Amino acid sequence: MEQIQTPLNTQLPSFSLILETENLANADLKGLFKSLETLANQDISPTCANEVLLIDSGDTPTHILEHLCEQYPWIKVHHTQLATGYYKAKMLGAELVTGEIVVYFDSDCIYQPNWLRSILTAFTAGEDIQIVAGETMTLSKGAYGTAMALTYIFPQHSGHKTLTPTSQYFLNNVAFRREFLLSNPIPTDLPLYRGNCVIHARNLQNAGYIIWNQSQARATHAPPNGLSHFFWRFLLIGHDYYWQNRLLAKAKAAAQTRERDPMTSFNGKLEVFSDRVKKMWANNPRQFIYLPLAIPIVISALALIFTGYVITVFQPKYLLEVYNDILGD
């Protein structure tokens, strides 16, 4: 596998940071304060950014925004239409900022102090590097955290020491050269709740671009918050798997390739699960103490994913429509 060493003590490119509030529809507002605190404590100050842009789509109370701007005067709030979706908000941010590099972070993630420096330094390894993906891991504490580490979206940290090609990125921990992203935008009008970045990553790879993994740019993501969030999030993972299968199959047919895609293969899913178990053992074997209590939660999560998938097979738009009606977005 190709690897690249990143040079040290080189001048970093100009950059802008983008956060949106749409992600707070299901998240604890405390997560926003914690996320911004970890940004404020980066070893590269956010005051060095061209902008730290917060795209507000009406999900955060006005007094909270005012308090945040008082506490962190480097935040610039841009108000947009109510119910602006997650991916549209992210792309709107890219259009509005001015930095050479667009760095994305989310309100429900905690970032290590060297996260920003690590992800920016990767771009100094070569002008052909257009996209750098950090590594986001599910926050795992106790039995519930162990279950989420095994079943939720975000994998264990890889342990890589150099830039390495990867097949995916998460929009809570990734950076693009701005002009490249505007020329190759994330699709926003897909029948997915989340997962547009999966389709985008595959489109970029089909076009011959490399997504580079920077394992030193680390973050942890909160697991689903409460029973309702758990129920809907895993149902919608099943919904998204169905649509990703369809969309990626179309892209594969258009590219006339027969290679097996782990994103659309049940064997691939088993490989992913096995990889998580191995990395959990390598990273934090003490989590296996909670495995007996975690297994029922894992089974429940997998059952919801399967149920969401089956429902979507027969009624492709039903789950997302019901979810949006309940949340009002």
Side-chain angles (χ1 to χ4, degrees):
M1 181 178 290
E2 184 180 0
Q3 297 180 334
I4 290 181
Q5 296 282 351
T6 53
L8 301 175
N9 300 321
T10 55
Q11 185 175 359
L12 299 177
S14 67
F15 65 97
S16 299
L17 292 134
I18 298 173
L19 169 68
E20 40 60 50
T21 63
E22 192 273 346
N23 216 29
L24 294 173
N26 264 325
D28 186 346
L29 271 176
K30 293 179 182 178
L32 176 59
F33 288 92
K34 291 180 180 178
S35 180
L36 287 172
E37 182 180 357
T38 63
L39 179 59
N41 291 331
Q42 291 293 306
D43 60 12
I44 294 180
S45 171
T47 59
C48 296
N50 285 28
E51 304 92 2
V52 179
L53 190 62
L54 177 61
I55 306 291
D56 175 50
S57 52
D59 294 287
T60 307
T62 302
H63 72 280
I64 295 293
L65 287 177
E66 292 175 349
H67 175 71
L68 286 174
C69 291
E70 289 178 3
Q71 186 173 0
Y72 304 114
W74 33 262
I75 292 176
K76 178 181 178 182
V77 178
H78 178 85
H79 298 282
T80 187
Q81 300 176 30
L82 290 172
T84 296
Y86 179 78
Y87 296 99
K88 287 186 178 180
K90 296 288 193 182
M91 283 307 305
L92 174 61
E95 294 169 5
L96 293 172
V97 297
T98 61
E100 178 187 351
I101 306 298
V102 174
V103 185
Y104 286 113
F105 67 108
D106 271 5
S107 56
D108 46 8
C109 288
I110 302 299
Y111 298 88
Q112 292 190 357
N114 67 338
W115 165 74
L116 183 56
R117 181 180 298 279
S118 296
I119 209 164
L120 290 173
T121 300
F123 286 94
T124 65
E127 293 184 0
D128 59 328
I129 293 180
Q130 305 290 348
I131 170 173
V132 175
E135 292 192 353
T136 301
M137 185 174 75
T138 303
L139 180 64
S140 52
K141 293 182 179 179
Y144 180 67
T146 298
M148 293 301 95
L150 292 172
T151 57
Y152 199 41
I153 301 164
F154 308 103
Q156 300 280 305
H157 291 314
S158 68
H160 294 152
K161 301 300 182 183
T162 57
L163 286 181
T164 307
T166 185
S167 62
Q168 64 180 358
Y169 71 84
F170 298 111
L171 206 44
N172 55 46
N173 186 358
V174 67
F176 298 85
R177 292 194 190 273
R178 178 174 176 268
E179 293 303 321
F180 172 81
L181 178 58
L182 294 179
S183 299
N184 301 273
I186 301 165
T188 57
D189 294 320
L190 297 178
L192 296 165
Y193 173 64
R194 292 290 188 265
N196 297 41
C197 47
V198 172
I199 308 302
H200 186 230
R202 192 53 43 85
N203 291 342
L204 293 179
Q205 289 176 299
N206 288 341
Y209 297 109
I210 297 176
I211 301 169
W212 292 98
N213 167 253
Q214 169 56 291
S215 66
Q216 304 308 306
R218 294 185 174 184
T220 54
H221 189 287
N225 176 36
L227 185 59
S228 176
H229 191 192
F230 174 89
F231 174 80
W232 276 107
R233 194 65 193 90
F234 281 99
L235 270 182
L236 288 170
I237 288 174
H239 166 274
D240 285 349
Y241 278 164
Y242 168 82
W243 278 108
Q244 286 171 359
N245 286 349
R246 289 194 60 178
L247 294 168
L248 291 173
K250 289 182 180 179
K252 202 190 285 189
Q256 296 183 335
T257 177
R258 294 184 180 181
E259 76 176 274
R260 186 175 65 84
D261 188 342
M263 292 304 302
T264 60
S265 161
F266 283 106
N267 286 336
K269 298 291 193 302
L270 290 175
E271 290 173 9
V272 169
F273 186 81
S274 174
D275 181 68
R276 290 194 180 196
V277 172
K278 291 176 183 177
K279 286 180 179 176
M280 181 184 290
W281 180 258
N283 292 331
N284 189 7
R286 287 181 296 179
Q287 282 188 278
F288 282 87
I289 297 173
Y290 300 104
L291 196 57
L293 295 175
I295 287 175
I297 304 172
V298 169
I299 293 172
S300 298
L302 295 177
L304 285 169
I305 292 172
F306 179 76
T307 301
Y309 187 94
V310 171
I311 289 173
T312 310
V313 167
F314 292 99
Q315 298 191 57
K317 298 182 180 180
Y318 175 75
L319 280 179
L320 193 54
E321 289 176 349
V322 172
Y323 177 78
N324 287 336
D325 285 343
I326 290 173
L327 253 66
D329 42 283

